[in-house]
Amino acid sequence: MTSNQTDCHYCLQSLRGRKFAVREENAYCVTCYDNLFANPCEECKQPIECDSKDLAYKGRHWHERCFRCAKCSCSLVEKPFAAKDEVLLCTECYSDEYSSKCFHCQRTIMPGSRKMEFKGSSWHESCFVCQYCRQPLGTKPLITKDNENYCIPCFEKQFAHHCYSCKKAITSGGVAYHDQPWHKECFVCASCKTQLSGQRFISKDECPYCVDCFSKLYAKKCASCRKPITALGGAKFISFEERQWHGECFNCARCSVSLVGQGFLTRRDDVFCHECGSA
């Protein structure tokens, strides 16, 4: 120490035989140094003296004894911690307060560990597995049944019906016809192959047909309007000898009065009411 460092740079008191601190090559007695430069502790608000350890985090300072979890008061010195709204917490308290709980095991998903998100719930990576084969699902396609998750192969083995047409598994939706399951896209008209799911159709010889194809292929023609008679929705039709009529077409050929439920006379291909037929 040179001669000009034998006195405190601030109060000029002799430093011989006394503790002192150096800042920017200037020596200060302990009292002056603490008054001039000591940082206030965030916890106790007292200065952190030069002979105490100063723990700093994001521009704030603590005594070593004051650097504790705000909830459980355990020391955070040389331990992992987290900050929430400028409050320091040990990892256990932070997890209890703010971390997600695993949907499967209901335990906390610790900060820094990998978390899986599915249908609004969080999972440990090790808990997010197929219920049947127990293999991790990760980001693989999956199917949920009764709140349990399955990989596609396991779900198909355990639960899926197989399409009567293509024999492949039906993983969603599907159509039942003659007590057999079908994919919606496989349930088509036997003639034109139009998809029938959600549409009106007619069955013949255990095969489904759209209304148009059935009418063209099988429906009898009305003797009056010559259009097909499908009888869909309970529509009435009249049959006499080898001829059929729509209910609304079974009218007197002369006066057009409806003959449904009435007596009638025939002459060649025409039908008449009694009055017109007797004229």
Side-chain angles (χ1 to χ4, degrees):
M1 182 180 297
T2 61
S3 58
N4 64 347
Q5 291 180 314
T6 57
D7 298 332
C8 172
H9 182 73
Y10 186 76
C11 70
L12 303 181
Q13 295 291 319
S14 174
L15 297 177
R16 294 184 182 276
R18 300 170 61 191
K19 290 183 178 180
F20 64 92
V22 176
R23 183 182 176 91
E24 297 178 355
E25 298 185 356
N26 294 315
Y28 298 85
C29 66
V30 171
T31 301
C32 289
Y33 185 90
D34 290 341
N35 290 335
L36 293 172
F37 306 115
N39 295 304
C41 175
E42 287 286 327
E43 178 63 23
C44 68
K45 310 305 180 186
Q46 298 299 313
I48 303 173
E49 300 88 347
C50 64
D51 58 351
S52 298
K53 184 178 289 188
D54 184 335
L55 301 180
Y57 175 71
K58 289 190 175 180
R60 297 185 294 157
H61 300 264
W62 288 263
H63 289 107
E64 184 176 16
R65 63 180 180 277
C66 296
F67 195 59
R68 297 178 176 275
C69 172
K71 185 176 180 183
C72 70
S73 299
C74 71
S75 175
L76 298 178
V77 177
E78 297 183 358
K79 292 182 179 179
F81 63 90
K84 180 71 175 178
D85 299 328
E86 297 190 354
V87 174
L88 303 185
L89 298 168
C90 64
T91 53
E92 290 80 7
C93 289
Y94 182 88
S95 298
D96 289 342
E97 288 288 319
Y98 304 108
S99 293
S100 303
K101 298 290 191 299
C102 176
F103 181 83
H104 177 72
C105 69
Q106 294 303 308
R107 295 179 181 174
T108 299
I109 301 175
M110 298 297 289
S113 61
R114 190 171 183 186
K115 178 174 68 173
M116 309 302 296
E117 298 281 351
F118 180 65
K119 289 188 175 180
S121 298
S122 301
W123 307 64
H124 290 113
E125 185 178 22
S126 58
C127 292
F128 194 58
V129 298
C130 171
Q131 179 66 19
Y132 186 72
C133 69
R134 310 308 298 176
Q135 292 300 307
L137 290 170
T139 57
K140 298 177 183 176
L142 61 93
I143 298 175
T144 300
K145 179 178 174 63
D146 299 330
N147 289 327
E148 300 289 357
N149 300 319
Y150 297 85
C151 64
I152 300 297
C154 287
F155 182 87
E156 292 180 353
K157 290 177 185 176
Q158 293 294 107
F159 305 110
H161 296 291
H162 288 75
C163 177
Y164 182 78
S165 175
C166 70
K167 310 306 179 186
K168 295 181 180 179
I170 301 172
T171 57
S172 63
V175 176
Y177 173 67
H178 282 308
D179 296 326
Q180 298 291 348
W182 302 62
H183 289 113
K184 289 182 179 181
E185 57 271 23
C186 293
F187 187 60
V188 297
C189 172
S191 178
C192 70
K193 306 306 179 185
T194 299
Q195 287 191 24
L196 297 176
S197 177
Q199 307 297 321
R200 294 192 302 175
F201 65 91
I202 302 172
S203 178
K204 182 175 175 59
D205 300 329
E206 297 190 356
C207 294
Y209 293 86
C210 66
V211 174
D212 289 342
C213 287
F214 183 86
S215 298
K216 292 175 183 176
L217 294 172
Y218 302 110
K220 296 182 181 298
K221 301 295 190 296
C222 174
S224 177
C225 71
R226 307 309 300 167
K227 293 180 179 179
I229 300 173
T230 61
L232 284 173
K236 293 181 179 180
F237 70 96
I238 292 86
S239 179
F240 177 71
E241 294 180 345
E242 296 300 320
R243 293 182 292 167
Q244 289 79 29
W245 292 262
H246 293 111
E248 63 272 19
C249 294
F250 192 56
N251 302 321
C252 174
R254 178 172 292 177
C255 70
S256 300
V257 68
S258 175
L259 299 177
V260 177
Q262 307 297 321
F264 61 91
L265 299 173
T266 64
R267 187 180 301 161
R268 291 187 295 275
D269 291 335
D270 294 325
V271 289
F272 298 91
C273 64
H274 278 294
E275 184 176 348
C276 292
S278 301

